[in-house]
């Protein structure tokens, strides 16, 4: 087990507690446990503390160094290989990333990829992240990799809309991740879901500004694992570039994404409320004239309502070689008002099952030769 810290602190209180009460030294037995003295804890990524389930309470603010050069690796605080862990306390992890956003090349993501992530959760089992805030990370706010049964509840993300590559919660190769009743404001995807993710629930998340809740991008790298079983419910998107989205790269690597359900979503002033984009090609770094090799199936969009800033309120662009299968549109009510006309619904290489109200009418508009690119 390892907990790594590389920070400058301000108004910081860290309390390590066992999940089960342990009588501590001093009056009242407050349950405080010294994991260094009792269990030989070391921040060496080797010492095993699996016999000591712990709760880390953070009260106040932890501040990262402002200079990206202070980090030897692209991470700031990392929790690695822990079972039965809880992070709580109402504290704030401040990445102080505003200067990094303005660095040369950051907008193109070439530079941003080496910047530190605020919070990394790697290979954790049975974990709760509750009442914690991450703000102004230099890269991703929180990154989840190789975890099983991890829940974010009342988790707050705060970053300006011009902050590049600052995904609120990025999830990859993890089973049983829950993001519940959380508020995310950032400059990239509020929640991004990478390959190998399965059995995910995102419920009660408010997003904006940001790029919405996105599965992908998928199909860029070799040997990507399937995405299977994602439910996004009771979420609100306000002033975001996308609402709910699946994105895959054209002409790259094969993969699968299935059993994806978006339900009870409110969109307000959102550029692209409902979107499947299998021609995802940011920065023109792809084979745009080729087809995606990622197979999409068993996908539903139900009870999604609100307003769109673009007329293309529904856009489902699937692969010509691997058309989307079993896509459902039910009770869609999205309006657009402006000089470009009312909201439209565009479909390509898909025959969705349609039920309930459909405004705009499902698949009623043609796909233009050059579709509007998405962020």
């Amino acid at each position: 087990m390892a907990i790594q810290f590389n920070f400058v602190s301000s108004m910081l209180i860290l309390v390590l507690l066992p999940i089960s009460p342990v009588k501590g030294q001093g009056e009242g037995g407050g349950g405080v446990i010294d994991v260094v003295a009792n269990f030989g804890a070391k921040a060496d990524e080797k010492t095993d503390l699996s016999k000591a389930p712990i709760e880390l309470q953070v009260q106040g603010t932890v501040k990262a160094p402002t200079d990206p050069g202070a980090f030897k690796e692209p991470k700031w605080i990392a929790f690695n290989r822990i079972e039965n862990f809880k992070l709580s306390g109402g504290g704030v992890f401040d990445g102080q990333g505003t200067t990094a956003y303005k660095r040369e090349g950051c907008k193109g993501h070439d530079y941003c990829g080496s910047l530190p992530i605020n919070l990394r959760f790697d290979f954790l089992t049975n974990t709760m992240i509750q009442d914690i805030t991450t703000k102004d990370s230099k890269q991703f706010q929180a990154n989840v990799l190789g975890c099983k049964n991890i829940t974010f509840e009342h988790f707050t993300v705060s970053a300006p809309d011009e902050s590049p590559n600052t995904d609120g919660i990025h999830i990859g190769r993890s089973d049983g991740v829950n993001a519940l009743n959380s508020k995310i404001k950032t400059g990239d995807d509020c929640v991004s879901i990478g390959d190998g993710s399965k059995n995910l629930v995102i419920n009660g998340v408010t997003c904006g500004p940001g790029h919405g809740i996105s599965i992908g991008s998928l199909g860029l790298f070799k040997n990507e694992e399937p995405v299977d079983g994602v439910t996004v419910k009771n979420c609100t998107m306000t002033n975001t570039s996308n609402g709910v989205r699946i994105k895959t790269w054209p002409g790259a690597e094969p993969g699968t994404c299935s059993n994806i359900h978006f339900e009870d979503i409110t969109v307000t002033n959102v550029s692209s409320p409902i979107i499947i984009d299998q021609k995802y090609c940011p920065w023109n770094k792809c084979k745009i004239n080729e087809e995606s090799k990622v197979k999409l199936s068993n996908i539903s969009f139900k009870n999604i309502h609100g307003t769109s800033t673009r007329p293309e309120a529904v856009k489902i662009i699937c692969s010509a070689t691997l058309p989307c299968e079993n896509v459902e549109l039910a009770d869609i009510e999205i309006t657009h008002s402006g000089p470009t006309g009312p909201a439209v619904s565009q479909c390509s290489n898909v025959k969705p099952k349609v039920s309930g109200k459909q405004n705009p009418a499902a698949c009623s508009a043609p796909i233009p030769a050059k579709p509007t690119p998405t962020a």
Side-chain angles (χ1 to χ4, degrees):
M1 185 281 287
I3 303 175
Q4 298 178 343
F5 297 94
N6 179 14
F7 57 73
V8 176
S9 63
S10 173
M11 299 187 302
L12 170 65
I13 302 173
L14 294 177
V15 184
L16 286 171
L17 299 172
I19 290 176
S20 56
V22 172
K23 187 174 181 180
Q25 299 177 356
E27 57 182 345
V32 177
I33 187 170
D34 186 339
V35 294
V36 175
N38 291 8
F39 296 97
K42 297 178 182 179
D44 57 4
E45 300 191 56
K46 298 178 182 178
T47 304
D48 182 8
L49 284 186
S50 61
K51 295 181 180 180
I54 57 173
E55 175 178 340
L56 174 62
Q57 291 188 354
V58 179
Q59 301 168 10
T61 300
V62 189
K63 291 186 176 181
T66 57
D67 180 10
F71 299 87
K72 295 181 180 179
E73 299 178 83
K75 59 185 177 182
W76 173 31
I77 295 177
F79 302 90
N80 186 21
R81 300 184 188 279
I82 311 173
E83 293 186 15
N84 305 316
F85 174 65
K86 183 176 183 179
L87 174 63
S88 64
V92 178
F93 292 91
D94 185 353
Q96 300 202 101
T98 53
T99 56
Y101 306 150
K102 302 173 184 177
R103 291 289 294 270
E104 186 69 24
C106 199
K107 286 188 176 180
H109 292 230
D110 293 327
Y111 173 78
C112 286
S114 62
L115 291 172
I117 294 168
N118 258 15
L119 299 172
R120 286 202 63 120
F121 303 97
D122 297 333
F123 307 102
L124 306 186
T125 302
N126 301 329
T127 295
M128 171 67 77
I129 315 300
Q130 189 175 55
D131 297 314
I132 289 294
T133 295
T134 171
K135 70 184 297 273
D136 295 339
S137 179
K138 297 176 179 67
Q139 202 200 148
F140 292 172
Q141 303 282 346
N143 189 81
V144 178
L145 176 66
C147 292
K148 186 172 183 180
N149 299 331
I150 178 171
T151 296
F152 294 81
E153 186 172 25
H154 302 298
F155 185 69
T156 301
V157 173
S158 177
D161 58 0
E162 67 270 17
S163 57
N165 209 28
T166 53
D167 295 32
I169 304 174
H170 177 72
I171 303 164
R173 304 204 174 194
S174 296
D175 185 353
V177 181
N178 304 300
L180 310 176
N181 305 316
S182 297
K183 297 180 179 180
I184 302 177
K185 299 179 179 181
T186 193
D188 211 299
D189 294 328
C190 288
V191 181
S192 57
I193 299 165
D195 79 290
S197 300
K198 56 185 180 180
N199 303 315
L200 272 55
V201 174
I202 301 167
N203 194 329
V205 169
T206 62
C207 169
H211 293 179
I213 295 176
S214 297
I215 296 175
S217 56
L218 302 175
L220 182 58
F221 302 106
K222 291 183 180 295
N223 302 315
E224 289 189 357
E225 297 179 5
V227 174
D228 186 12
V230 177
T231 299
V232 180
K233 293 185 65 175
N234 304 315
C235 293
T236 300
M237 318 287 168
T238 304
N239 300 323
T240 56
S241 56
N242 303 287
V244 289
R245 172 170 66 157
I246 302 172
K247 50 182 176 174
T248 76
W249 291 79
E253 300 297 325
T256 63
C257 177
S258 58
N259 301 310
I260 313 298
H261 305 292
F262 303 103
E263 186 173 355
D264 300 331
I265 309 295
T266 299
V267 293
T268 303
N269 206 38
V270 171
S271 298
S272 299
I274 296 174
I275 180 167
I276 292 178
D277 185 3
Q278 294 208 262
K279 290 283 187 178
Y280 179 70
C281 186
W283 327 300
N284 295 316
K285 295 182 178 180
C286 69
K287 300 174 182 177
I288 191 63
N289 294 322
E290 297 186 17
E291 298 298 325
S292 175
K293 301 173 185 175
V294 179
K295 179 67 175 181
L296 306 183
S297 61
N298 301 333
I299 300 163
S300 65
F301 301 91
K302 296 181 178 180
N303 190 27
I304 300 178
H305 58 276
T307 59
S308 172
T309 62
R310 292 178 180 170
E312 303 89 358
V314 180
K315 185 159 44 176
I316 303 178
I317 304 173
C318 297
S319 170
T321 54
L322 292 170
C324 296
E325 290 186 355
N326 194 22
V327 174
E328 182 178 1
L329 294 171
D331 297 310
I332 307 299
E333 176 65 39
I334 303 173
T335 60
H336 167 77
S337 60
T340 51
V344 298
S345 174
Q346 300 173 336
C347 299
S348 176
N349 304 308
V350 62
K351 296 180 179 179
K353 175 185 176 183
V354 176
S355 63
K357 190 169 186 177
Q358 294 290 321
N359 181 24
C363 303
S364 57
I367 296 284
K370 292 184 177 181
T372 304
T374 60

